Amino acid sequence: MFGLGSLDLLIGLVTVYLTMALACTAIVEAIAGISKLRAIKLEAAMNEFLDGSLAPNQAFVKAFYAHPLVQSLSFGTEGRPTYIPPKVVSQVVHSLLTANDAAMSVKEAVNKLPGTAESNRIKGLLAARETQAKGEVAALKKAVEIHFDSVMDRATGWVKRHQTKIALAVSFALVIAAKVETFELER
């Protein structure tokens, strides 16, 4: 029969394991914060997404991070944001493309980028998105937002995989350090 001793044991085990899980989560989050894991992975994803040149000897991604809308989301002038809303990304990309020249069409702006679609990755990406948008600025911005969301989904996967490895190591260390053993807890 299920007696009070069994209930006490069950409550004790749940309490111990819940406490260990919370400690593990807090430690993993602290490690991620200190190591700037999210910012590093976001920057790596942005480097992939915006790989290419805005002008000769000017990296698109560097101009992107220097834009005031992105700087306002960053910590200091050299800091990188841990989150960039998709609408901000599309606004900044459009702003960089047209260089605030409202008379320039998106197609002209994409064609002005240096190199070819094969040699300048961002040019190829934006040319494909511009073709999809059929020259409409709002449609291009939406296409950039959708592509950015896809890139961020990949970056989220990178962060989750990295945090899972950290969590596994931390949980092993906690269990060993605290000498948590289910059979010993029963006594």
Side-chain angles (χ1 to χ4, degrees), residues 45-78:
M46 292 304 289
N47 286 337
E48 290 284 323
F49 176 51
L50 301 173
D51 185 34
S53 300
L54 180 62
N57 300 322
Q58 183 184 16
F60 199 99
V61 72
K62 191 168 182 147
F64 178 87
Y65 279 120
H67 195 278
L69 287 176
V70 176
Q71 280 295 308
S72 69
L73 301 173
S74 302
F75 183 72
T77 56
E78 295 300 316

Side-chain angles (χ1 to χ4, degrees), residues 71-135:
Q71 280 295 308
S72 69
L73 301 173
S74 302
F75 183 72
T77 56
E78 295 300 316
R80 296 289 188 246
T82 56
Y83 175 75
I84 305 172
K87 286 195 184 296
V88 171
V89 172
S90 66
Q91 290 170 343
V92 171
V93 167
H94 183 259
S95 173
L96 291 173
L97 267 180
T98 59
N100 298 321
D101 182 359
M104 185 183 307
S105 75
V106 175
K107 187 170 190 150
E108 291 172 324
V110 170
N111 287 335
K112 274 182 58 177
L113 292 172
T116 64
E118 292 77 28
S119 66
N120 189 356
R121 193 166 164 185
I122 190 69
K123 183 174 186 171
L125 172 69
L126 292 173
R129 296 299 180 203
E130 190 278 327
T131 301
Q132 274 183 326
K134 298 178 181 147

Side-chain angles (χ1 to χ4, degrees), residues 17-32:
Y17 289 121
L18 182 60
T19 303
M20 294 299 285
L22 288 173
C24 183
T25 301
I27 292 169
V28 168
E29 284 300 316
I31 291 170

